[in-house]
């Protein structure tokens, strides 16, 4: 039985790495990493958002999110403003350039996912999502 679980674990890790690489290559022409895409996508959906909230939603540690935000600021995609209610907090939003790029990125990611999940039925995708959620729940 252990060998079967080892095989599942190895195959899951291998496929996750291949999926990440495929997405990285899909985004390369736009000069954005999958990690940057994740942060941009969350900001677009939840802005204005604090870096702490962003870390929680992206399931990344705060220093990692801070580094990604610094890159996005240098690329002039994100605006950082002090929260008017709590001046200790900074809130993040996309600027016009960031909004445009994030819209293009959404289309690019959608196309990449269509390729990754080609020939999967809607039921296959629902089952896959259910199984992934079950594994996640088992290990939390």
């Amino acid at each position: 039985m252990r060998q079967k679980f080892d095989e599942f674990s190895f195959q899951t890790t291998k496929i996750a790495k291949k999926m990440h690489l495929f997405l990285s290559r899909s985004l390369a022409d736009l000069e954005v990493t999958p990690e940057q895409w994740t942060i941009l996508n969350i900001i677009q959906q939840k802005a204005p958002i604090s870096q702490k909230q962003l870390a929680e939603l992206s399931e990344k540690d705060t220093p990692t999110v801070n580094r990604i935000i610094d890159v996005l600021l240098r690329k002039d995609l994100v605006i950082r403003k002090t929260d008017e209610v709590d001046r200790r907090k900074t809130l993040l939003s996309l600027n016009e350039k960031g909004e445009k790029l994030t819209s293009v990125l959404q289309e690019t990611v959608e196309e990449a996912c269509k390729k990754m999940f080609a020939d999967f039925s809607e039921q296959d995708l629902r089952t896959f999502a259910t199984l992934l959620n079950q594994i996640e729940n088992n290990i939390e």
Side-chain angles (χ1 to χ4, degrees), residues 55-109:
E56 291 168 3
L57 290 171
S58 65
E59 297 186 11
K60 296 181 185 308
D61 59 62
T62 305
T64 299
V65 170
N66 291 342
R67 282 191 296 275
I68 294 169
I69 292 300
D70 288 342
V71 171
L72 297 176
L73 285 164
R74 281 194 303 274
K75 290 182 175 187
D76 190 33
L77 301 171
V78 174
I79 300 166
R80 184 187 287 173
K81 291 186 179 175
T82 303
D83 186 341
E84 293 177 10
V85 176
D86 183 350
R87 302 203 54 78
R88 295 170 297 171
K89 247 198 275 187
T90 58
L91 300 176
L92 300 161
S93 300
L94 299 179
N95 61 21
E96 188 176 335
K97 181 180 174 184
E99 284 286 350
K100 287 179 183 174
L101 179 61
T102 302
S103 294
V104 172
L105 289 167
Q106 287 171 335
E107 293 172 18
T108 303
V109 170

Side-chain angles (χ1 to χ4, degrees), residues 119-132:
D119 302 324
F120 278 59
S121 69
E122 285 299 318
Q123 183 58 48
D124 290 339
L125 292 172
R126 280 193 295 275
T127 300
F128 186 55
T130 299
L131 293 171
L132 289 174

